[in-house]
Amino acid sequence: MEPYATTDQVWAGALIFARIGAVLMMLPGIGESYVPPRVRLGLALMITLALWPVVAGSLPALPASVGGMVGWVLREVIVGLMIGAILRSFMTALGTAGEIVSLQTTLGFAQTANPLQAQPGTTLSAFLTLLGVTLVFATDTHHLFIAGLVGSYELIAPARPLVAGDFTTLAIRTLGDSFLLGVQLAGPVLVFALVFNIATGLIGRVMPQFQVFFAAAPLSVILGLSVFALSLGVLGTVFIDRYRRLAEIFAAGAGGGLG
C-alpha cells in the first residue's frame, strides 16, 4: 500500500463519489430528508472506496484543465441523479394506489405528512409508501442497488457518450408503468367500490325515502378497508417483484443497454 494517494487516485475517487453520492441522494429510504446528511455522505464514501478497485479502469484520465475536471464531475453527477430518479419514480405506484383507495373509501380528506414526499398526502398513500420502503430493505432489494452502481459503469461508461435519449425513454416508460401498476394494485378496491356504488344507487332508486348516504358511508369505509387489508399481501408481493425487475436493469451490467 502507498503511504498517500496519488493525483490520479484522488481524481478517480472524486468521479466515483460524484456518481455514487448523486444516486444515494435519490434512492428510496436512503435519500430521504429524515436521514442525516452525514450518514449519506459516509455511506457514499464507503461505497466509493469499495468500488474504486472494480471500476477505476473504466474512468477517464485526469484532464489538463480545471474546466475539463468540472465537466467530468458534472457529467457523473447528472448520471447519478438520472439513475436515482428512475429508481425513485417507480415508488409513485404505491402513492397512486393509496390515493385511489382513499378516494374509493371516502378517506381522501384524511391527510398526513408523507416522509417520502415534499407535501402531505392521504394516510393510506403514506402508509403504502412506507410499506414499499420497508419491503425494499426486508427483501434485500437494496443489494441490487449496489450491484446496479457497478453495472452502471458498464451501461453508462464515463468514456462513452451520455445516453440521454435512452434515459428519457426509460424514464417515460417507468412513469407510465408506475401509474398503471398503481391502478392495478388498487384494483380490488376499485371493483368493490363499483359494485357497492351500483348497489347503493339501486337501493336509492327503489327506496327514495331511505337515507342511503348515512347508511352507506360507514359501510363503504369498513368494507373498503377490509378489502384493502385482505389484498395487502398480494399488493406488496406484486410491487416488490416489479421493483426488483427495474433494479435488475442496472444490476445486469453489460446486458445490452438501457433500452
Side-chain angles (χ1 to χ4, degrees):
M1 296 181 62
E2 299 178 2
Y4 57 88
T6 64
T7 304
D8 291 334
Q9 290 174 338
V10 173
W11 167 246
L15 279 184
I16 299 173
F17 183 81
R19 180 180 293 198
I20 301 303
V23 172
L24 293 183
M25 284 177 58
M26 303 293 293
L27 280 183
I30 300 175
E32 311 305 332
S33 58
Y34 53 78
V35 178
R38 293 183 180 180
V39 174
R40 281 179 285 179
L41 290 174
L43 181 60
L45 181 60
M46 287 190 294
I47 296 177
T48 298
L49 295 176
L51 295 186
W52 183 84
V54 180
V55 302
S58 62
L59 299 177
L62 179 64
S65 62
V66 177
M69 295 173 58
V70 173
W72 279 111
V73 171
L74 289 178
R75 182 188 187 279
E76 290 301 291
V77 170
I78 292 173
V79 170
L81 290 177
M82 288 192 297
I83 295 174
I86 290 174
L87 292 174
R88 189 180 186 86
S89 63
F90 200 77
M91 297 293 294
T92 58
L94 293 175
T96 302
E99 294 290 341
I100 294 175
V101 173
S102 298
L103 290 174
Q104 298 303 321
T105 55
T106 67
L107 295 176
F109 291 102
Q111 301 285 314
T112 187
N114 193 332
L116 272 71
Q117 297 178 357
Q119 58 185 2
T122 61
T123 303
L124 292 179
S125 177
F127 168 74
L128 286 180
T129 306
L130 291 175
L131 175 65
V133 175
T134 304
L135 288 175
V136 166
F137 289 96
T139 58
D140 292 334
T141 304
H142 60 289
H143 293 172
L144 290 176
F145 295 161
I146 300 179
L149 294 176
V150 181
S152 69
Y153 282 93
E154 299 182 15
L155 292 175
I156 318 162
R160 299 176 187 174
L162 186 61
V163 285
D166 290 343
F167 259 114
T168 303
T169 302
L170 181 59
I172 295 174
R173 188 175 66 189
T174 301
L175 286 174
D177 291 344
S178 65
F179 180 79
L180 177 61
L181 179 61
V183 177
Q184 292 173 344
L185 294 178
V189 179
L190 283 174
V191 173
F192 157 76
L194 178 63
V195 174
F196 185 82
N197 289 331
I198 291 177
T200 54
L202 292 175
I203 294 174
R205 294 291 294 178
V206 174
M207 304 172 60
Q209 305 300 326
F210 182 66
Q211 299 295 329
V212 179
F213 176 78
F214 293 101
L219 288 176
S220 175
V221 175
I222 295 174
L223 296 179
L225 290 180
S226 299
V227 173
F228 172 71
L230 291 175
S231 63
L232 197 58
V234 178
L235 183 151
T237 302
V238 172
F239 168 77
I240 200 62
D241 180 66
R242 295 285 298 275
Y243 195 69
R244 287 179 67 89
R245 278 191 279 172
L246 175 64
E248 286 171 356
I249 293 178
F250 298 98
L258 294 176

